[in-house]
Structures are given as structure tokens and as C-alpha cells.
Amino acid sequence: MSHTIGEGTRAVRAGLPEPVKYEPTLPGPVFAAHFHLPGEPTGPYTYGRDENPTWTHLERAIGELEAPGESGAATLVFASGMAAISAVLFSQLRSGDAVVLPDDGYQALPLLHEQLRAYGIEVRTAPTGQDAQLSVLAGARLLWLETPSNPGLDVCDVRRMVAAAHEAGALVAVDNTLATPLGQRPLQLGADFSVASDTKGMTGHGDILLGHVSCRDPERAAEVRRWRKIVGAIPGPMEAWLAHRSLATLALRIDRQCATALALAEALSEHRDVTGLRYPGLPGDPSHEVAARQMRRFGSVVSFVLPDQEWADRFLDALRLVDDATSFGGVRSTAERRGRWGGDAVPEGFVRFSVGAEDPDDLVADVLRALDEAAR
């Protein structure tokens, strides 16, 4: 094409094979543990734990979103976001190495701390905001960023962090789950790895567990691929096919969700009972200036604090268009009181709200009504 295509067009067509007469535009899932393999074991598909044609289409599709126009970037899909995260950490770190992780990131990261330390890896932590992880970077092998952070929605300056880490000889991985490639492209910001739980916004329907890793360096990609093969953290072909199908609506979903998230954040900013409101897209948010320099869309998640646990529970119970459920990024809005899990350093009244694809006026009205009911 003679012009640069839009992101919606790219999402709709990403990873599709060349047209073949009478064949489907998106081939169905390939269910195979083994393939015909006479003679020497050469070629792309030999055994189901190594490769699968359905993964190939999906990996190409995600790669086109993560690094459009770059043939050298590799993407690998995994059975879950945690499988993708673990693959980068455990393929790149050895006993005696140090890794810098956010102390305000995804709830399961402390479980990784335990395992990393058991393997003789030093774990250092610092907050995402104000680029605080740079204060403990010296001598580290890997810097792990999560921006925006989950659930607090802090943001760090990826370009600055990458420059400092590379100068110090460290690799950089960015958990891009909250942003998706339509909101932020870590590889274009200089990161070595872009990692995400595709369970969330990428697939967007709350019915698939999936993750991916994208990187430019073939050697690094080979190391991550080898780890996937060793531990067998592979997605099922049906999940991979459903994920690829879901990507076609990614731009539609993300645009609606981000616009509604901003409208919700603006409404919440004026409510008397709401404190601690965070959304990077709000001009008054502490992270907005940095986020605006590196993000094209600000995500579907809004966080805020209600006066106490009981107040938050009353609010969640009063919602009619929102499910009280964990996870985020789906077409149906969800919200939860994060303190119920015990793993996040948040107030008991802290609410993480994932905006879906409902009509904005309906969703905002439901939230404001529920807040009024909770206050009674």
C-alpha cells in the first residue's frame, strides 16, 4: 500500500495468511500433537510442544501490532500472562544476577520473588512512579517495568529508564498489559522485551488465558523459545485461534473503552466521596505528562478510593451494569475491591474499575447512582 495503514486496519488483517481460493481467510485451529515427518526432522512443524500453525498466525499478528513494519521482531505466545513473564525472567537470569522489579506491580510478582531468590538471584524493588527503580539499578542484569502499574496506575518514563539501564549493561522488559500495543509500544521506546497478559485487553472477552513476549534480538527470542519448550507453557490451539479472531476488534474495543474510561474518570473527579483517583489520561493525573509522551491511548482501567471497606462493598453491590470480578480489559465492565486479595499495598476502600464497551452515558450513570446508594 502507498500509505501507512491505520491501527484498526492493521488489527483486522494482522497475521492472516496469503489468500488461497476456497480456503478460509483465517484458518481454523490445528489440533495436532505430531505432524507427518519423514526423513530428517526439518521444517517449521515437528511436534506440538515446539510449534503449531495456529500459534504462527497469532504470533505474526501480535508482532505486527507490537512492531509494525519490522520484519526482525519475534513474538512468542504462552499459556498465560504469568507464563510469559516467567519465561523472560527465568530465561535471562542466572544465579548471582540481580533483577529490579516494581514493588507496586501485579499481585503475583511477590511469588516470583520467592522463586528467583531460591535460584540465587538478587531481587530489588522500588516504586514505578518518579522512575524510582533507577535508584536500585546499579549492577542489575534486568530491569522489569510495569507501566501503567497494576493496580495503582503509576507511570514511569520508559525511554529514560531504557537509556539508563542499557548504559549500565542491563536488559529492559516492559509489562504492557494495561496499555496493549495500541496504547504503547515498548519496543519502539527502546525496551528489549514487551510482555503482556493477553487474557486482558488484547483478547478482551474474559474467556481466554494467554500471554506473549515480543523482542527484536534473535538470540533473546531463541532463549525465551527454549524456555517455553522446556517448561511446556504453551497455549492450546483453540485459545490461540480465538485470540487471533478477537484481535480484529481490538481497535474498536480499545477506542470505546479508553474514551469511556476518561469520561468516567472526569465524573469521579467531581464526586465528594471519591479520593485517590488515578487515570493517566486525566490532565490532572500525576502521571499524565509522562504518559502523554509515550502512550497513544491511556487504557481502560480507572482506580479510586472510597472511605472504607464497607463503603466500597456497598458501592460494588449497588452496581447494575458492572460485574464484581477480578481481571480487566474485557467488553463487560468489572470492578473489585483490591484489598480483598491481601497482596496489594492499597487502602481497604481501593477500587479497581475496568471499563467495558457499554454506552458511556449508561455506565457513568450506573456508577454515580451506585455511589449515591453506597453513601446512604
Side-chain angles (χ1 to χ4, degrees):
M1 299 179 70
S2 60
H3 68 281
T4 302
I5 65 172
E7 291 186 317
T9 303
R10 181 178 293 110
V12 166
R13 304 204 60 81
L16 297 180
E18 289 297 318
V20 176
K21 191 174 184 178
Y22 306 128
E23 293 293 323
T25 54
L26 177 61
V30 174
F31 299 99
H34 57 263
F35 302 82
H36 287 296
L37 195 65
E40 294 300 315
T42 59
Y45 306 111
T46 58
Y47 185 63
R49 192 182 68 253
D50 298 341
E51 294 291 349
N52 177 290
T54 310
W55 305 351
T56 300
H57 294 311
L58 176 60
E59 289 171 342
R60 288 173 180 167
I62 295 175
E64 289 176 30
L65 301 177
E66 286 277 11
E70 298 185 27
S71 59
T75 294
L76 298 164
V77 290
F78 289 83
S80 68
M82 281 304 298
I85 290 169
S86 299
V88 173
L89 290 170
F90 292 111
S91 70
Q92 300 304 307
L93 296 170
R94 304 288 184 271
S95 180
D97 287 343
V99 61
V100 177
L101 297 165
D103 65 11
D104 54 348
Y106 179 49
Q107 184 194 34
L109 286 181
L111 299 176
L112 282 173
H113 296 181
E114 297 176 18
Q115 195 61 55
L116 289 165
R117 291 186 176 114
Y119 288 161
I121 296 164
E122 179 188 354
V123 176
R124 307 173 189 166
T125 63
T128 297
Q130 306 299 313
D131 300 345
Q133 288 172 269
L134 292 181
S135 66
V136 292
L137 178 62
R141 166 66 176 165
L142 176 66
L143 171 63
W144 187 277
L145 309 179
E146 186 177 301
T147 180
S149 62
N150 172 29
L153 302 182
D154 259 331
V155 171
C156 62
D157 187 332
V158 177
R159 291 186 184 90
R160 181 187 178 212
M161 304 288 275
V162 166
H166 286 173
E167 184 177 358
L171 298 168
V172 180
V174 177
D175 185 329
N176 201 43
T177 302
L178 268 157
T180 80
L182 267 62
Q184 177 175 265
R185 292 197 178 106
L187 297 184
Q188 291 187 347
L189 296 172
D192 300 288
F193 300 95
S194 179
V195 186
S197 170
D198 301 319
T199 307
K200 315 297 194 299
M202 284 286 276
T203 56
H205 291 79
D207 54 6
I208 301 170
L209 287 171
L210 201 78
H212 81 267
V213 177
S214 294
C215 60
R216 284 198 182 96
D217 187 326
E219 182 179 346
R220 303 290 171 224
E223 291 165 349
V224 174
R225 188 186 305 275
R226 180 175 180 271
W227 178 263
R228 182 179 69 178
K229 177 176 179 176
I230 290 171
V231 300
I234 58 172
M238 191 67 197
E239 286 79 3
W241 184 85
L242 287 169
H244 197 168
R245 186 187 69 167
S246 297
L247 289 183
T249 61
L250 179 61
L252 298 172
R253 292 186 278 107
I254 295 296
D255 281 344
R256 166 61 78 89
Q257 290 170 296
C258 291
T260 306
L262 179 58
L264 177 62
E266 289 171 341
L268 291 172
S269 69
E270 300 176 355
H271 199 279
R272 62 188 180 280
D273 298 324
V274 170
T275 60
L277 174 67
R278 296 301 303 270
Y279 182 65
L282 268 179
D285 187 270
S287 293
H288 179 71
E289 183 178 347
V290 174
R293 292 199 301 264
Q294 62 193 25
M295 300 183 73
R296 304 185 311 287
R297 295 171 176 83
F298 298 103
S300 62
V301 178
V302 178
S303 68
F304 55 94
V305 180
L306 294 175
D308 54 42
Q309 175 180 337
E310 291 74 19
W311 201 302
D313 287 339
R314 290 196 303 271
F315 163 71
L316 294 168
D317 187 59
L319 291 166
R320 295 294 174 262
L321 298 179
V322 182
D323 296 328
D324 190 343
T326 195
S327 198
F328 55 86
V331 291
R332 290 172 290 277
S333 291
T334 61
E336 69 170 338
R337 188 179 63 79
R338 286 299 295 175
R340 66 181 178 173
W341 297 101
D344 296 309
V346 295
E348 285 299 324
F350 181 97
V351 175
R352 184 182 71 185
F353 195 108
S354 172
V355 173
E358 299 87 359
D359 286 332
D361 290 347
D362 293 340
L363 186 63
V364 171
D366 188 45
V367 169
L368 294 179
R369 179 196 51 75
L371 285 170
D372 289 342
E373 287 189 19
R376 293 172 188 167

